[in-house]
Amino acid sequence: MERSLETQVSQAVDAWLKWLPRWEPATHRGRVAPCRRCFGSPVLSAAGLGSDVPHGVQHGLSTRIKTIVDHAVAEYTARNLPMLQAELDQQAARNRARSYRPAEGLEPEYEGLPLDPDPIPGAPFLFTISGLAEEAEAGIPDLPPLSDDAKAALRQEVGLADDYANMVGREVCTILLHHRLRIQAAITQYVEPQIEAMLHELTKSLDVPFDPNEPPAALSPGSAQARPAAQGRLRTVC
């Protein structure tokens, strides 16, 4: 499994590196809530993608790595956890019955992100994608209830699946350490220049009242700024 994981992680990093040159900084309003998948992720820490790296860049890699872990856990569940597998099969069949599934089939860079932007106070949406998805799900019957014994057995199998996911995740993080140099090289080549260009454009667009390298120009006696000072002198003389 270790060699297989190494191959999968290497291929995931290769795919992310191939996508990265197409990344551009987002120009829309940022979100208030952090991404649950990326915030504090040990995968991103192992890859060397810190908080100074834009979230869009982080998300594309973390989603690809999550897919590897999910696939390994799915294989383990199918072999060893029959009750959990049956529950997942029923849930998958229920999901396929929905007529509208907007969160499926997305590219890794968008998978797991909120379907709708954050609402703006005083400007309600006419409709939302998540709202339409909820309407499509409302007409599908719920899964049959489980007995107390079945719930206890299911919780035990879920715990085993979580333990296996943590084990695979630790192995994946160890493998990612060997890819840090080329990940950082790609960030330096494709991401940092765009951030620097944005900062340069921002400094150019700021409204500076005067050149900091030159002294302020002298005010003429008739200017609006000079009148209060001149009136003060006149009152002193009188």
Side-chain angles (χ1 to χ4, degrees):
M1 184 182 68
E2 183 178 356
R3 180 178 300 176
S4 176
L5 275 180
E6 288 180 355
T7 301
Q8 293 179 62
V9 171
S10 180
Q11 291 174 346
V13 174
D14 289 342
W16 177 79
L17 291 174
K18 185 177 180 180
W19 162 81
L20 191 60
R22 302 197 303 270
W23 174 83
E24 294 181 356
T27 56
H28 54 74
R29 184 170 58 96
R31 292 188 175 274
V32 177
C35 176
R36 295 182 179 180
R37 180 173 299 178
C38 299
F39 184 74
S41 169
V43 167
L44 296 177
S45 298
L49 297 180
S51 59
D52 57 336
V53 177
H55 173 248
V57 176
Q58 295 178 332
H59 196 86
L61 182 60
S62 65
T63 298
R64 287 178 167 88
I65 299 301
K66 180 180 182 296
T67 300
I68 296 174
V69 178
D70 289 346
H71 181 70
V73 175
E75 290 184 343
Y76 173 81
T77 301
R79 293 194 306 264
N80 303 290
L81 307 175
M83 179 167 287
L84 177 58
Q85 185 62 52
E87 187 74 11
L88 293 175
D89 290 342
Q90 292 184 60
Q91 185 62 55
R94 185 177 185 274
N95 291 338
R96 288 193 298 269
R98 291 181 296 163
S99 59
Y100 183 56
R101 301 188 295 272
E104 297 182 8
L106 299 177
E107 295 295 328
E109 295 78 30
Y110 307 104
E111 183 183 340
L113 294 176
L115 297 176
D116 302 292
D118 291 331
I120 300 176
F125 296 121
L126 294 178
F127 64 90
T128 61
I129 296 177
S130 57
L132 295 175
E134 292 173 359
E135 292 179 4
E137 187 178 3
I140 302 176
D142 295 331
L143 297 177
L146 298 173
S147 64
D148 292 340
D149 291 341
K151 290 180 180 178
L154 184 60
R155 281 193 294 268
Q156 183 178 5
E157 291 194 358
V158 169
L160 293 174
D162 288 342
D163 292 340
Y164 187 79
N166 290 331
M167 183 192 70
V168 175
R170 287 192 294 269
E171 293 189 25
V172 165
C173 289
T174 301
I175 297 170
L176 274 174
L177 293 175
H178 303 293
H179 296 273
R180 295 187 73 167
L181 290 180
R182 63 186 187 130
I183 289 174
Q184 187 57 52
I187 294 295
T188 302
Q189 181 178 359
Y190 298 113
V191 177
E192 291 181 359
Q194 296 195 63
I195 301 301
E196 292 176 359
M198 288 183 62
L199 294 175
H200 179 67
E201 185 66 26
L202 178 62
T203 57
K204 287 176 58 178
S205 63
L206 291 177
D207 187 14
V208 181
F210 56 86
D211 189 342
N213 298 322
E214 296 181 0
L219 298 176
S220 61
S223 65
Q225 293 88 345
R227 287 182 194 131
Q231 292 172 357
R233 289 195 297 273
L234 289 175
R235 285 193 290 269
T236 302
V237 172
C238 296

